[in-house]
Amino acid sequence: MAHHAIASIAGYYDDNVYWRKSANTMNGEQAVVTYSFLTTAPGWSDPYYGTPRTTFQRYSEGEKSLVRNALATIASVANIQFVEAVGDPLITFGQFNIPGNVVGFANQITYLKPDADFSGAEIWIDTQEDFSLMGSGMHTILHEIGHALGLEHPFDGTSPLKGKELNSSIMGYSYVGPNNKLGVFDIMALQSIYGPAKARLGNNTYKFGSDTLIWDGGGNDTIDARGASSKIVLNLNDSTWSYIGKKAASLLDPKQVFIGDFTIIENANGSQYGDQIMGNEAANSVHGNGGNDTLKGSSGDDRLWGDANNDSLSGGWGLDTLSGGSGHDQLSGGGNADVLSGGTGRDKFQFSSYSNFGDLTSYDRILDFRRDDKMDFSKLDANPSAAGRQRMIFLGNGVEDARLSASKAGQFYYNTSKDALVIDATGDGIADHLVGVRGVNEFKSSYFIL
């Protein structure tokens, strides 16, 4: 779910079946935006702002350089390529002596969906503006380029910003940041439309909590929270709000972190406290480090390490590798074939459905079952078609599937020659699932929580 500041600034309510107020056809798509500087006044007259015919002024080379600097500032964070061109550009820049207190105005680039074509935008700046890098003109140019690219005033719309959040956006009228910089919410909004810039392409490490916004353009990247002062809640999915300690009222408060839209972070290192870390669709590598951690993978082929203390590890959907480390850990591979290692301590290997086991050719493997560990089937319904929850039935140990009988769903035994639990899910006396288990020669009923 998008942060409310993105909803306020990005102007998504201007996207319908007829048009889209941006320079791309869908969110996350790169935009190539051509631009030029007007050399003569256009032939229109605006009844509100007056006609620019009499006070129209060409941009000097210094003023053009300032505009190019503003475009480069935006391109450094959002996936937009600006190309100076002649002909029919998407943005034209002009200036004239605008009456009253107005310092600039712009319309928006529009993608006309029925025509599969774009209509351009005009940006007009007051000739009285201070055209220097830190002057009001730079602020105005960034603000108006933002409008041309689809950004709205953050005090309008269905989720208006207030107080310090409003003051943090260059798209508002009370911005307190440097005139040559975008606010963090402005960057978040631009990235929600165009994706992050094709930058930060290496294997980068981001210190958790040092920046409000984490964004990245590629590579195999890591969020490192080993220096955090207390427990962390970290969601590696893009467009998510994470934090150290407690979630604050505002993302701008200390120890709050946002992972930008279309940013993929693959890896994470937790703190020395009891963390909660959620993976994303990538192949994640996550270390809990100290503390009683809860680590969850997602759809990728993940590697989760609980490390010290009593941890809960859940692989999700994918070919996952879970290592509990020291402590009394709970491990759940989830769907597909996973590799589970409890390590030292009294560990629980949890299976909540038949899909958690895998099938007869691709199945979970437990590498180090110890006599004080448990196989936990307490959340598994052996026969969902029957009323209530039906427990699994342990048949003991053997070397052949003849131990299975056409009697009841959910029966299983430990095949000592295969080092595997053999499971009959349907009760027809035929094996349906396997779970490879190493570490003991024979299983006892006391090893199971049924």
Side-chain angles (χ1 to χ4, degrees), residues 16-87:
N16 55 46
V17 296
Y18 302 106
W19 64 74
R20 170 183 168 85
K21 294 295 185 71
S22 68
N24 58 5
T25 65
M26 67 179 69
N27 287 342
E29 180 183 67
Q30 183 191 38
V32 177
V33 177
T34 54
Y35 70 96
S36 68
F37 299 94
L38 290 170
T39 58
T40 59
W44 54 260
S45 176
D46 189 300
Y48 181 77
Y49 293 117
T51 174
R53 293 174 183 168
T54 56
T55 60
F56 173 83
Q57 183 173 305
R58 292 188 179 188
Y59 278 73
S60 67
E61 289 304 313
E63 291 165 346
K64 289 180 181 179
S65 178
L66 193 72
V67 170
R68 296 183 187 113
N69 188 295
L71 295 172
T73 296
I74 292 173
S76 70
V77 295
N79 195 15
I80 307 173
Q81 180 183 1
F82 293 101
V83 180
E84 191 165 353
V86 295

Side-chain angles (χ1 to χ4, degrees), residues 184-198:
V184 64
F185 289 156
D186 306 316
I187 298 172
M188 288 164 51
L190 284 167
Q191 291 180 346
S192 76
I193 300 173
Y194 301 101
K198 293 302 181 184

Side-chain angles (χ1 to χ4, degrees), residues 138-139 142-143 168-172 175 178-179 181-183 186:
M138 183 61 168
H139 177 138
L142 283 170
H143 178 104
S168 73
S169 172
I170 204 168
M171 297 308 299
Y175 182 54
N179 285 330
K181 302 289 185 181
L182 297 168
D186 306 316

Side-chain angles (χ1 to χ4, degrees), residues 3 17 32 73 97 127 141 148 153 186 206 224 234 237-238 274 280 282 319-320 346 349 351 374 411 415:
H3 187 271
V17 296
V32 177
T73 296
N97 187 1
T127 53
I141 291 169
H153 293 134
D186 306 316
Y206 300 97
D224 190 351
L234 170 59
N237 287 284
D238 67 326
N280 55 28
L319 306 177
D320 306 310
R346 299 187 300 275
F349 299 91
F351 299 86
K374 298 289 185 182
Q411 58 184 322
N415 189 305

Side-chain angles (χ1 to χ4, degrees), residues 90-114:
L90 282 180
I91 298 179
T92 54
F93 290 91
Q95 58 175 320
F96 70 103
N97 187 1
I98 304 175
N101 295 323
V102 177
V103 295
F105 61 94
N107 60 339
Q108 294 173 314
I109 299 170
T110 303
Y111 177 61
L112 304 172
K113 295 182 180 181

